[in-house]
Each structure stands twice: as C-alpha cells, then as structure tokens.
Amino acid sequence: GGLSVAFATDLENDTSSYSLGYTMGDLALTFTGTDNDDAGGDATGISAKYTMGDLTVSASMSDESNDAEDDTSVGFTYKIDALTVSYTTIQPGSDADFGDEWDAKIAYSAGAMSASFALDEADATTVIAEYDLGGGATAFAAMHDKADEADDLTALGINFKF
C-alpha cells in the first residue's frame, strides 16, 4: 500500500540504520536514521519528493550528531524528451546559506546510449558515457576532475549484470 520499511544492522560493530517510506500518488516521503553518521554519532533525515509530469521537486533535511553538519536541500529535476536537467541547492549547516553548496547535472539518453555531465560549487566535474551492449553488458567511460586536487579519475570498462 505504498509503505516501505528497511532495517540494517552490523552486529560486529554494533551499528544500525533504518528507513521508513510512504508513497501516495505523486508524493513520496522518507524518514531515515542511523547510529553511525560521519562523526560516529546518531543522525536522522526526512525527505519529500513531488512529481508533476516531467518536473520533480524535492526537499530534505538532516539532523547529524554534534560534530557533523546538518544539511537542508531543495532541488528539481526536469525531463525534456531525451534530456534531463537537475539542480540542487544545499544549506550546509545552520550558519550557512542556501547556495553555499550546489549540484547541477544534465543527462542525455537515447536508445542504448546515455551520457551525463555534472558540476558542483567546488568545480568538481564528472562526465559519464555508457552504451548498452545487450545481454547484461554495458560499456562505459567515466571521468571525475576536482579542481586543485591530484586525485582525478578516468575509467573505461565493461559492466556485467547477471
């Protein structure tokens, strides 16, 4: 009936996480939590997504433990035939402003081929191209470049799904 529940636990490290979701028509709501966030503490989050034809609007908030950063974000995704454009603006913490962090992406998909270009406020650029070879195999090329970083990545390969 539109309800989803997930729970995961790591018995060895004594950590757990959960997710509770509900979908009613074009509106999807999700509540998540963990006892192992980036700072090793508790975190909770809530998100909402509403789809109106080719436009999807989303919003989310997270409450992290005292050493981690609470985020609030608002975004949209718009599909125009084979193109999809998305943008998310993020308020990283209560002392920041919306737009201090952001993510933008444009993607193209036609037949067996898809490609995307993404950029963020730190000038991190990601380009991915994929081609479905059939039979569960996909050829891909990916490049990730972050300004002023030596950890750039370029990869070519084939993924197999069985």
Side-chain angles (χ1 to χ4, degrees):
L3 182 65
S4 64
V5 178
F7 178 78
T9 189
D10 181 342
L11 297 174
E12 184 176 328
N13 293 312
D14 195 28
T15 61
S16 300
S17 61
Y18 59 88
S19 173
L20 198 62
Y22 187 68
T23 302
M24 40 191 169
D26 294 330
L27 178 65
L29 303 169
T30 306
F31 181 73
T32 58
T34 184
D35 60 3
N36 188 27
D37 69 358
D38 293 338
D42 296 337
T44 56
I46 188 165
S47 65
K49 187 186 321 183
Y50 185 69
T51 303
M52 300 169 280
D54 293 333
L55 176 66
T56 299
V57 179
S58 60
S60 66
M61 294 173 29
S62 67
D63 182 14
E64 305 264 344
S65 63
N66 56 3
D67 291 340
E69 190 174 82
D70 298 341
D71 288 336
T72 303
S73 66
V74 177
F76 76 90
T77 301
Y78 189 68
K79 187 163 175 45
I80 311 161
D81 296 322
L83 287 176
T84 302
V85 178
S86 60
Y87 179 82
T88 301
T89 181
I90 304 160
Q91 179 186 16
S94 59
D95 295 334
D97 294 318
F98 274 104
D100 284 351
E101 293 182 10
W102 54 269
D103 299 309
K105 180 178 179 180
I106 187 165
Y108 176 81
S109 181
M113 201 269 309
S114 64
S116 65
F117 172 81
L119 182 67
D120 69 12
E121 79 288 342
D123 288 334
T125 305
T126 304
V127 178
I128 299 173
E130 295 180 305
Y131 188 83
D132 186 349
L133 300 169
T138 304
F140 71 91
M143 185 276 306
H144 179 74
D145 178 36
K146 189 167 186 178
D148 302 323
E149 297 270 334
D151 299 0
D152 297 338
L153 168 75
T154 302
L156 300 169
I158 297 178
N159 288 323
F160 295 98
K161 291 182 186 177
F162 298 100

